[in-house]
Coordinates of all heavy atoms in Angstrom, one line a residue:
P165 N -102.9 -5.1 18.6 CA -102.8 -3.7 18.6 C -102.9 -3.0 19.9 O -102.3 -1.9 20.1 CB -103.8 -3.2 17.6 CG -104.6 -4.4 17.2 CD -104.0 -5.6 17.8
E166 N -103.7 -3.5 20.8 CA -103.9 -2.9 22.1 C -102.6 -2.8 22.9 O -102.5 -2.0 23.9 CB -105.0 -3.5 22.9 CG -104.8 -4.9 23.4 CD -105.4 -5.9 22.4 OE1 -105.5 -5.6 21.2 OE2 -105.7 -7.0 22.9
Y167 N -101.6 -3.6 22.5 CA -100.3 -3.6 23.3 C -99.3 -2.6 22.6 O -98.2 -2.4 23.2 CB -99.7 -5.0 23.3 CG -100.5 -5.9 24.2 CD1 -100.7 -7.2 23.7 CD2 -101.1 -5.6 25.4 CE1 -101.5 -8.1 24.4 CE2 -101.8 -6.4 26.1 CZ -102.1 -7.7 25.6 OH -102.8 -8.6 26.3
T168 N -99.6 -1.9 21.6 CA -98.8 -1.0 20.9 C -98.2 0.1 21.8 O -97.0 0.3 21.9 CB -99.4 -0.4 19.6 OG1 -99.7 -1.5 18.7 CG2 -98.5 0.6 18.9
P169 N -99.1 0.7 22.6 CA -98.6 1.8 23.5 C -97.6 1.2 24.6 O -96.6 1.8 24.9 CB -99.8 2.3 24.2 CG -101.0 1.9 23.3 CD -100.5 0.7 22.6
V170 N -97.9 0.0 25.0 CA -97.0 -0.7 26.0 C -95.6 -0.9 25.4 O -94.6 -0.6 26.0 CB -97.6 -2.0 26.5 CG1 -96.7 -2.8 27.4 CG2 -98.9 -1.7 27.2
I171 N -95.6 -1.5 24.1 CA -94.4 -1.7 23.4 C -93.6 -0.5 23.1 O -92.4 -0.4 23.4 CB -94.7 -2.5 22.1 CG1 -95.3 -3.8 22.4 CG2 -93.5 -2.5 21.2 CD1 -96.0 -4.5 21.2
E172 N -94.3 0.6 22.7 CA -93.6 1.8 22.4 C -93.0 2.4 23.7 O -91.8 3.0 23.6 CB -94.6 2.8 21.8 CG -95.0 2.4 20.4 CD -96.1 3.3 19.8 OE1 -96.7 4.1 20.5 OE2 -96.4 3.1 18.6
K173 N -93.7 2.4 24.8 CA -93.1 2.9 26.0 C -91.9 2.1 26.5 O -90.9 2.6 26.9 CB -94.2 3.0 27.1 CG -95.1 4.1 27.0 CD -96.2 4.1 28.0 CE -95.7 4.4 29.4 NZ -96.7 4.4 30.4
A174 N -92.0 0.8 26.3 CA -90.9 -0.1 26.7 C -89.7 0.2 25.8 O -88.5 0.2 26.3 CB -91.3 -1.6 26.6
R175 N -89.9 0.3 24.6 CA -88.8 0.6 23.6 C -88.1 1.9 24.0 O -86.9 2.0 24.0 CB -89.3 0.7 22.2 CG -88.2 1.0 21.2 CD -88.7 1.0 19.7 NE -89.8 1.9 19.5 CZ -91.0 1.6 19.0 NH1 -91.2 0.4 18.5 NH2 -91.9 2.5 18.8
A176 N -88.9 3.0 24.3 CA -88.3 4.3 24.7 C -87.5 4.1 26.0 O -86.4 4.7 26.1 CB -89.4 5.3 24.9
F177 N -88.0 3.3 26.9 CA -87.2 3.0 28.2 C -85.9 2.4 27.8 O -84.9 2.9 28.4 CB -88.1 2.1 29.1 CG -87.3 1.7 30.3 CD1 -87.2 2.5 31.4 CD2 -86.7 0.4 30.3 CE1 -86.5 2.1 32.5 CE2 -86.0 0.0 31.5 CZ -85.9 0.8 32.6
L178 N -85.9 1.4 27.0 CA -84.7 0.7 26.6 C -83.7 1.6 26.0 O -82.5 1.5 26.2 CB -85.0 -0.5 25.8 CG -85.7 -1.7 26.6 CD1 -86.1 -2.7 25.7 CD2 -84.8 -2.2 27.7
V179 N -84.1 2.5 25.0 CA -83.3 3.4 24.4 C -82.6 4.3 25.4 O -81.4 4.6 25.3 CB -84.1 4.2 23.3 CG1 -83.3 5.4 22.8 CG2 -84.4 3.4 22.1
E180 N -83.4 4.8 26.4 CA -82.8 5.6 27.4 C -81.8 4.9 28.3 O -81.0 5.6 28.9 CB -83.9 6.2 28.3 CG -84.7 7.3 27.7 CD -83.9 8.5 27.4 OE1 -83.1 8.9 28.2 OE2 -84.0 9.0 26.2
Q181 N -81.8 3.6 28.3 CA -80.9 2.9 29.1 C -79.5 2.7 28.5 O -78.5 2.3 29.1 CB -81.4 1.5 29.5 CG -82.7 1.6 30.2 CD -82.8 2.6 31.3 OE1 -82.1 2.6 32.3 NE2 -83.7 3.6 31.2
V182 N -79.4 3.0 27.2 CA -78.1 3.0 26.5 C -77.2 4.0 27.1 O -77.6 5.2 27.2 CB -78.3 3.1 25.0 CG1 -76.9 3.2 24.3 CG2 -79.1 2.0 24.4
I183 N -76.0 3.6 27.6 CA -75.1 4.6 28.2 C -74.5 5.5 27.2 O -73.8 5.1 26.2 CB -74.0 3.8 29.0 CG1 -74.6 2.9 30.1 CG2 -72.9 4.8 29.6 CD1 -73.8 2.0 30.8
D184 N -74.7 6.8 27.4 CA -74.3 7.8 26.5 C -74.1 9.2 27.2 O -74.0 9.2 28.3 CB -75.2 7.9 25.3 CG -76.7 8.2 25.6 OD1 -76.9 8.6 26.8 OD2 -77.5 8.1 24.8
E185 N -74.3 10.2 26.4 CA -74.1 11.5 26.9 C -75.0 11.9 28.1 O -74.7 12.7 29.0 CB -74.2 12.6 25.8 CG -73.2 12.6 24.7 CD -73.4 11.5 23.7 OE1 -74.4 10.7 23.7 OE2 -72.6 11.4 22.8
G186 N -76.2 11.2 28.1 CA -77.2 11.5 29.1 C -76.7 11.1 30.5 O -77.2 11.6 31.5
E187 N -75.7 10.2 30.6 CA -75.2 9.7 31.8 C -73.8 10.4 32.0 O -73.1 10.0 32.9 CB -75.0 8.2 31.8 CG -76.3 7.5 31.9 CD -77.1 7.4 30.6 OE1 -76.5 7.4 29.5 OE2 -78.4 7.4 30.7
G188 N -73.4 11.3 31.1 CA -72.1 12.0 31.3 C -71.0 11.3 30.6 O -69.8 11.7 30.8
Y189 N -71.3 10.4 29.7 CA -70.2 9.7 29.0 C -70.0 10.4 27.6 O -71.0 11.0 27.1 CB -70.5 8.2 28.8 CG -70.4 7.4 30.1 CD1 -71.4 7.4 31.0 CD2 -69.2 6.7 30.4 CE1 -71.3 6.6 32.2 CE2 -69.1 6.0 31.5 CZ -70.1 6.0 32.5 OH -70.0 5.3 33.6
T190 N -68.9 10.1 27.0 CA -68.6 10.6 25.6 C -68.3 9.4 24.8 O -68.0 8.3 25.3 CB -67.4 11.6 25.6 OG1 -66.2 10.8 25.8 CG2 -67.5 12.7 26.6
P191 N -68.3 9.5 23.5 CA -68.0 8.4 22.6 C -66.6 7.8 22.8 O -66.3 6.7 22.5 CB -68.1 9.0 21.2 CG -69.1 10.1 21.3 CD -68.8 10.7 22.7
K192 N -65.7 8.5 23.5 CA -64.4 8.0 23.8 C -64.3 7.0 25.0 O -63.4 6.3 25.2 CB -63.4 9.1 24.0 CG -63.2 9.9 22.7 CD -62.0 10.9 22.9 CE -61.8 11.6 21.6 NZ -61.4 10.9 20.5
D193 N -65.4 7.1 25.9 CA -65.5 6.3 27.1 C -65.7 4.8 26.7 O -66.5 4.5 25.9 CB -66.6 6.7 28.1 CG -66.3 8.1 28.6 OD1 -65.1 8.2 29.2 OD2 -67.1 9.0 28.6
K194 N -65.1 3.9 27.5 CA -65.2 2.4 27.2 C -66.6 1.9 27.3 O -67.0 0.9 26.7 CB -64.1 1.6 27.9 CG -64.4 1.5 29.4 CD -63.4 0.7 30.1 CE -63.6 0.6 31.6 NZ -62.5 -0.3 32.2
F195 N -67.4 2.5 28.2 CA -68.8 1.9 28.5 C -69.8 2.6 27.6 O -70.9 2.2 27.6 CB -69.2 2.2 30.0 CG -68.4 1.4 30.9 CD1 -68.4 1.8 32.3 CD2 -67.7 0.3 30.6 CE1 -67.7 1.1 33.2 CE2 -67.0 -0.4 31.5 CZ -67.0 -0.1 32.8
Y196 N -69.4 3.5 26.8 CA -70.3 4.2 25.9 C -71.1 3.3 24.9 O -70.4 2.4 24.3 CB -69.6 5.3 25.1 CG -70.4 6.2 24.2 CD1 -71.0 7.3 24.7 CD2 -70.7 5.9 22.9 CE1 -71.8 8.1 23.9 CE2 -71.4 6.7 22.1 CZ -72.0 7.8 22.6 OH -72.8 8.6 21.8
G197 N -72.4 3.3 24.9 CA -73.2 2.5 24.0 C -73.5 1.2 24.6 O -74.3 0.4 24.1
G198 N -73.1 0.9 25.9 CA -73.5 -0.4 26.5 C -74.8 -0.2 27.4 O -75.4 0.9 27.4
V199 N -75.2 -1.3 27.9 CA -76.4 -1.3 28.8 C -76.0 -2.1 30.0 O -75.5 -3.1 29.9 CB -77.6 -1.9 28.1 CG1 -78.8 -2.0 29.1 CG2 -78.0 -1.2 26.9
G200 N -76.2 -1.4 31.2 CA -75.8 -2.1 32.5 C -77.0 -2.6 33.2 O -78.1 -2.8 32.6
Y201 N -76.9 -2.9 34.5 CA -78.0 -3.6 35.2 C -79.0 -2.6 35.8 O -80.0 -3.0 36.4 CB -77.3 -4.4 36.4 CG -76.8 -5.7 35.9 CD1 -75.5 -5.8 35.7 CD2 -77.7 -6.8 35.7 CE1 -74.9 -7.0 35.3 CE2 -77.2 -8.0 35.3 CZ -75.8 -8.1 35.1 OH -75.3 -9.3 34.6
G202 N -78.7 -1.3 35.7 CA -79.7 -0.3 36.1 C -79.1 0.6 37.1 O -78.8 1.7 36.8
S203 N -78.8 0.1 38.4 CA -78.3 1.0 39.4 C -76.9 1.3 39.2 O -76.4 2.4 39.5 CB -78.6 0.4 40.8 OG -77.9 -0.8 40.9
D204 N -76.1 0.4 38.6 CA -74.7 0.7 38.2 C -74.6 0.9 36.7 O -75.4 0.3 36.0 CB -73.8 -0.2 38.9 CG -73.5 -1.5 38.1 OD1 -73.8 -1.5 36.8 OD2 -73.2 -2.5 38.7
L205 N -73.7 1.6 36.3 CA -73.6 1.8 34.8 C -72.6 0.9 34.1 O -72.4 1.2 32.9 CB -73.3 3.3 34.6 CG -74.3 4.3 35.0 CD1 -73.9 5.7 34.8 CD2 -75.6 4.1 34.2
R206 N -72.1 -0.1 34.8 CA -71.2 -1.0 34.1 C -71.9 -2.0 33.2 O -72.7 -2.8 33.6 CB -70.4 -1.8 35.2 CG -69.4 -2.7 34.6 CD -68.8 -3.7 35.6 NE -69.8 -4.6 36.2 CZ -70.3 -5.6 35.5 NH1 -70.0 -5.9 34.3 NH2 -71.3 -6.4 36.1
P207 N -71.8 -1.7 31.9 CA -72.5 -2.6 31.0 C -71.8 -3.9 30.8 O -70.7 -4.1 31.1 CB -72.5 -1.7 29.7 CG -71.2 -1.0 29.8 CD -71.0 -0.7 31.3
D208 N -72.6 -4.9 30.3 CA -72.1 -6.2 29.9 C -72.8 -6.7 28.6 O -73.8 -6.1 28.3 CB -72.1 -7.1 31.0 CG -73.5 -7.5 31.5 OD1 -74.4 -7.6 30.7 OD2 -73.8 -7.5 32.7
L209 N -72.2 -7.7 28.1 CA -72.8 -8.3 26.8 C -74.2 -8.9 27.0 O -75.0 -8.8 26.1 CB -71.8 -9.3 26.2 CG -70.6 -8.7 25.7 CD1 -69.6 -9.8 25.2 CD2 -70.8 -7.7 24.5
A210 N -74.5 -9.4 28.1 CA -75.8 -10.0 28.4 C -76.9 -9.0 28.3 O -77.9 -9.1 27.6 CB -75.8 -10.8 29.7
N211 N -76.7 -7.9 29.1 CA -77.7 -6.8 29.1 C -77.8 -6.2 27.7 O -78.9 -5.9 27.2 CB -77.2 -5.7 30.1 CG -77.6 -6.0 31.5 OD1 -78.7 -6.2 31.8 ND2 -76.6 -6.3 32.3
V212 N -76.7 -6.0 27.0 CA -76.7 -5.4 25.7 C -77.5 -6.3 24.7 O -78.3 -5.8 23.9 CB -75.2 -5.1 25.2 CG1 -75.3 -4.7 23.7 CG2 -74.6 -4.0 26.0
E213 N -77.2 -7.6 24.8 CA -77.8 -8.5 23.9 C -79.3 -8.5 24.1 O -80.1 -8.4 23.1 CB -77.2 -10.0 24.1 CG -77.7 -10.9 23.0 CD -78.9 -11.7 23.4 OE1 -79.2 -11.9 24.6 OE2 -79.6 -12.1 22.4
Y214 N -79.8 -8.6 25.3 CA -81.3 -8.6 25.5 C -81.9 -7.3 25.1 O -82.9 -7.2 24.4 CB -81.6 -8.8 27.0 CG -81.7 -10.2 27.4 CD1 -80.5 -11.0 27.8 CD2 -82.9 -10.9 27.3 CE1 -80.6 -12.3 28.1 CE2 -82.9 -12.3 27.6 CZ -81.8 -13.0 28.0 OH -81.9 -14.3 28.3
A215 N -81.2 -6.2 25.4 CA -81.8 -4.8 25.0 C -81.8 -4.7 23.5 O -82.8 -4.2 22.9 CB -80.9 -3.7 25.6
L216 N -80.8 -5.1 22.8 CA -80.7 -4.9 21.3 C -81.8 -5.8 20.7 O -82.4 -5.4 19.7 CB -79.3 -5.3 20.8 CG -78.2 -4.3 21.2 CD1 -76.9 -4.7 20.6 CD2 -78.6 -2.8 20.7
R217 N -81.9 -7.0 21.2 CA -82.9 -7.9 20.6 C -84.3 -7.3 20.8 O -85.1 -7.3 19.8 CB -82.8 -9.3 21.3 CG -83.8 -10.3 20.6 CD -83.9 -11.6 21.2 NE -82.6 -12.2 21.4 CZ -82.4 -13.4 22.0 NH1 -83.4 -14.0 22.6 NH2 -81.2 -13.8 22.1
A218 N -84.6 -6.8 22.0 CA -85.9 -6.2 22.2 C -86.1 -4.9 21.3 O -87.2 -4.7 20.8 CB -86.0 -5.8 23.7
L219 N -85.0 -4.1 21.2 CA -85.2 -2.9 20.3 C -85.5 -3.3 18.9 O -86.3 -2.7 18.3 CB -83.9 -2.1 20.5 CG -83.7 -1.4 21.8 CD1 -82.3 -0.7 21.8 CD2 -84.8 -0.4 22.1
K220 N -84.8 -4.4 18.5 CA -85.1 -4.8 17.1 C -86.5 -5.3 16.9 O -87.3 -4.9 16.0 CB -84.1 -5.9 16.7 CG -84.3 -6.5 15.3 CD -83.4 -7.6 14.9 CE -83.4 -8.0 13.5 NZ -84.6 -8.8 13.1
E221 N -87.0 -6.2 17.9 CA -88.3 -6.7 17.8 C -89.4 -5.7 18.0 O -90.5 -5.9 17.5 CB -88.4 -7.9 18.8 CG -87.7 -9.2 18.4 CD -87.9 -10.4 19.1 OE1 -89.1 -10.5 19.7 OE2 -87.1 -11.3 19.2
T222 N -89.1 -4.7 18.7 CA -90.1 -3.6 19.0 C -90.1 -2.6 17.9 O -90.9 -1.7 17.9 CB -89.9 -2.9 20.3 OG1 -88.7 -2.3 20.4 CG2 -90.1 -4.0 21.5
G223 N -89.2 -2.8 16.9 CA -89.3 -1.9 15.7 C -88.5 -0.6 15.8 O -88.8 0.4 15.1
L224 N -87.4 -0.6 16.6 CA -86.6 0.6 16.6 C -86.1 0.9 15.2 O -85.5 -0.1 14.6 CB -85.5 0.5 17.6 CG -84.6 1.7 17.8 CD1 -85.4 2.9 18.4 CD2 -83.3 1.4 18.6
A225 N -86.2 2.1 14.7 CA -85.7 2.4 13.4 C -84.3 2.1 13.2 O -83.5 2.2 14.1 CB -85.9 3.9 13.1
K226 N -84.0 1.5 11.9 CA -82.6 1.1 11.7 C -81.6 2.2 11.7 O -80.4 2.0 11.9 CB -82.6 0.4 10.3 CG -83.4 -0.9 10.2 CD -83.3 -1.6 8.9 CE -84.2 -2.8 9.0 NZ -84.2 -3.5 7.7
D227 N -82.0 3.4 11.5 CA -81.1 4.5 11.5 C -81.0 5.3 12.9 O -80.5 6.4 13.0 CB -81.4 5.6 10.4 CG -82.8 6.2 10.5 OD1 -83.6 5.7 11.4 OD2 -83.1 7.1 9.8
H228 N -81.6 4.7 13.9 CA -81.6 5.3 15.2 C -80.2 5.3 15.8 O -79.5 4.3 15.6 CB -82.6 4.5 16.2 CG -82.9 5.3 17.4 ND1 -82.0 5.4 18.5 CD2 -84.0 6.0 17.8 CE1 -82.6 6.1 19.5 NE2 -83.7 6.5 19.0
A229 N -79.8 6.3 16.5 CA -78.5 6.5 17.1 C -78.1 5.4 18.0 O -77.0 5.1 18.2 CB -78.4 7.9 17.7
A230 N -79.1 4.8 18.7 CA -78.8 3.7 19.7 C -78.0 2.6 19.0 O -77.2 2.0 19.7 CB -80.1 3.2 20.3
W231 N -78.3 2.3 17.8 CA -77.6 1.2 17.1 C -76.1 1.5 17.0 O -75.3 0.6 17.2 CB -78.2 0.9 15.7 CG -79.6 0.4 15.7 CD1 -80.7 1.0 15.2 CD2 -80.2 -0.8 16.3 NE1 -81.8 0.3 15.4 CE2 -81.5 -0.8 16.2 CE3 -79.5 -1.8 17.1 CZ2 -82.3 -1.8 16.6 CZ3 -80.4 -2.9 17.5 CH2 -81.7 -2.9 17.3
E232 N -75.8 2.7 16.5 CA -74.4 3.1 16.3 C -73.6 3.1 17.7 O -72.5 2.6 17.7 CB -74.3 4.4 15.6 CG -74.6 4.4 14.2 CD -73.7 3.4 13.4 OE1 -72.4 3.4 13.6 OE2 -74.2 2.7 12.5
K233 N -74.3 3.5 18.7 CA -73.7 3.6 20.0 C -73.4 2.1 20.5 O -72.3 1.8 21.1 CB -74.6 4.2 21.0 CG -74.8 5.8 20.7 CD -75.8 6.4 21.6 CE -76.0 7.8 21.2 NZ -77.1 8.5 22.0
A234 N -74.4 1.2 20.3 CA -74.2 -0.2 20.7 C -73.1 -0.9 19.9 O -72.3 -1.6 20.5 CB -75.5 -1.0 20.5
I235 N -73.0 -0.5 18.7 CA -71.9 -1.1 17.8 C -70.6 -0.7 18.4 O -69.6 -1.4 18.4 CB -72.1 -0.7 16.3 CG1 -73.3 -1.5 15.7 CG2 -70.8 -0.9 15.5 CD1 -73.7 -1.0 14.4
K236 N -70.5 0.6 18.8 CA -69.2 1.2 19.3 C -68.9 0.4 20.6 O -67.7 -0.1 20.7 CB -69.4 2.6 19.7 CG -68.2 3.3 20.1 CD -67.2 3.4 19.0 CE -66.4 4.6 18.9 NZ -65.3 4.5 18.0
F237 N -69.8 0.1 21.4 CA -69.6 -0.7 22.6 C -69.1 -2.1 22.3 O -68.1 -2.6 22.8 CB -70.8 -0.7 23.6 CG -70.7 -1.7 24.7 CD1 -69.9 -1.2 25.8 CD2 -71.1 -2.9 24.7 CE1 -69.7 -2.1 26.9 CE2 -71.0 -3.8 25.8 CZ -70.2 -3.3 26.9
L238 N -69.8 -2.8 21.4 CA -69.6 -4.1 21.0 C -68.2 -4.2 20.3 O -67.4 -5.2 20.6 CB -70.6 -4.7 20.0 CG -72.0 -4.9 20.7 CD1 -73.0 -5.2 19.6 CD2 -71.9 -6.0 21.7
Q239 N -67.8 -3.3 19.5 CA -66.5 -3.3 18.9 C -65.3 -3.2 20.0 O -64.3 -3.8 19.8 CB -66.3 -2.1 17.9 CG -67.1 -2.3 16.7 CD -67.0 -1.2 15.8 OE1 -66.9 0.0 16.2 NE2 -67.2 -1.4 14.4
R240 N -65.6 -2.5 21.0 CA -64.7 -2.4 22.1 C -64.5 -3.6 23.0 O -63.6 -3.7 23.8 CB -65.0 -1.2 22.9 CG -64.7 0.1 22.2 CD -65.1 1.3 23.0 NE -64.6 2.5 22.4 CZ -65.2 3.7 22.6 NH1 -66.1 3.9 23.5 NH2 -64.7 4.7 21.9
T241 N -65.4 -4.6 22.8 CA -65.2 -5.8 23.5 C -64.2 -6.7 22.9 O -63.8 -7.7 23.5 CB -66.6 -6.5 23.7 OG1 -67.0 -7.0 22.5 CG2 -67.6 -5.7 24.4
Q242 N -63.9 -6.5 21.7 CA -62.9 -7.3 20.9 C -61.5 -6.7 21.1 O -61.3 -5.5 21.1 CB -63.3 -7.3 19.5 CG -64.5 -8.2 19.2 CD -64.6 -8.5 17.7 OE1 -65.0 -7.7 16.9 NE2 -64.2 -9.7 17.4
N243 N -60.6 -7.6 21.2 CA -59.2 -7.3 21.3 C -58.6 -7.1 20.0 O -57.7 -7.9 19.6 CB -58.5 -8.5 22.1 CG -57.5 -7.9 23.1 OD1 -57.3 -6.7 23.2 ND2 -57.0 -8.8 23.9

Side-chain angles (χ1 to χ4, degrees):
E166 65 264 30
Y167 295 136
T168 300
V170 175
I171 293 165
E172 289 172 351
K173 284 177 68 177
R175 180 176 58 228
F177 172 82
L178 291 170
V179 166
E180 283 298 314
Q181 305 313 303
V182 175
I183 296 172
D184 59 12
E185 295 82 0
E187 291 76 32
Y189 287 83
T190 71
K192 294 191 180 292
D193 291 310
K194 68 179 180 178
F195 292 160
Y196 186 85
V199 177
Y201 282 97
S203 60
D204 82 27
L205 293 176
R206 185 192 58 80
D208 63 40
L209 289 173
N211 279 295
V212 170
E213 190 268 333
Y214 274 91
L216 293 180
R217 185 184 307 174
L219 289 172
K220 180 179 187 289
E221 289 191 24
T222 61
L224 184 67
K226 292 179 182 180
D227 62 349
H228 195 283
W231 296 119
E232 287 301 318
K233 292 172 185 179
I235 288 169
K236 187 68 145 169
F237 174 78
L238 292 171
Q239 288 175 331
R240 288 178 173 156
T241 65
Q242 288 195 281
N243 222 354

